[in-house]
Amino acid sequence: DGRPELIFTDNDTNTERLYGDRNVQPYVKDAFHRYVIEGARDAVNPQEYGTKAAAVYRMTVSAGATVTLRLRLSDFEPGGPRPFGRGFDNLVAARHREADEFYDAIFPSGLSADSRIVARQAVAGLLWSKQYYHYVVKNWLDGDAAQPAPPG
């Protein structure tokens, strides 16, 4: 039916593999690799629970062929009704339009097309990683006491 197999593990380091120490619990970070590449079915949690999840699609793709997977996170039960249907493309197109509107509102109108692409990627990276850059103007102006003073 084209549905993936869902597998689960936890985000714990495999201390047994790295350091030779016993793992605190059996379902560790490298479980997906062990499951998919090594065929270790016991690497993933059979209770289908964990802090990490993956969708495993098994398919044969012919040379030169293309396969498109449409993925959407939701709170619908696997195997339950599929509420996405034909609306998937419309939903993705709407999110693209919303993103374009957001970036158009925050970037200066005079940016070149190339500059807009670079700025969009930079802002997207900051939003995705939720990083915060603490920029202390006083330190920048006054300099670091352990370093030569900045120019006037």
Side-chain angles (χ1 to χ4, degrees):
D1 68 3
R3 293 177 191 250
E5 175 186 8
L6 300 178
I7 59 175
F8 299 83
T9 191
D10 285 307
N11 197 29
D12 292 334
T13 298
N14 187 342
T15 55
E16 182 177 309
R17 182 174 179 190
L18 289 175
Y19 310 112
D21 294 337
R22 191 175 79 69
N23 287 325
V24 175
Q25 56 91 18
Y27 309 111
V28 293
K29 282 184 184 186
D30 62 349
F32 298 157
H33 173 88
R34 291 178 49 227
Y35 183 85
V36 173
I37 304 302
E38 299 171 9
R41 297 196 68 77
D42 62 339
V44 297
N45 190 334
Q47 295 177 337
E48 298 184 340
Y49 176 83
T51 56
K52 293 174 70 172
V56 179
Y57 289 85
R58 297 182 191 280
M59 60 186 70
T60 301
V61 181
S62 300
T66 300
V67 173
T68 300
L69 298 175
R70 295 176 171 196
L71 308 172
R72 180 177 174 196
L73 297 177
S74 79
D75 59 356
F76 290 96
E77 288 290 324
R82 293 178 146 183
F84 318 129
R86 286 182 232 115
F88 187 91
D89 290 332
N90 294 335
L91 179 70
V92 171
R95 297 297 90 84
H96 275 281
R97 282 191 305 276
E98 291 168 1
D100 291 341
E101 291 170 8
F102 169 77
Y103 290 115
D104 287 343
I106 65 170
F107 295 150
S109 60
L111 282 181
S112 69
D114 284 343
S115 294
R116 292 182 81 74
I117 291 169
V118 170
R120 188 169 172 146
Q121 290 172 342
V123 171
L126 289 171
L127 293 173
W128 178 257
S129 63
K130 297 178 183 77
Q131 290 184 359
Y132 171 73
Y133 291 93
H134 184 66
Y135 183 65
V136 183
V137 175
K138 181 180 180 345
N139 291 359
W140 182 74
L141 292 173
D142 296 342
D144 182 341
Q147 300 294 321

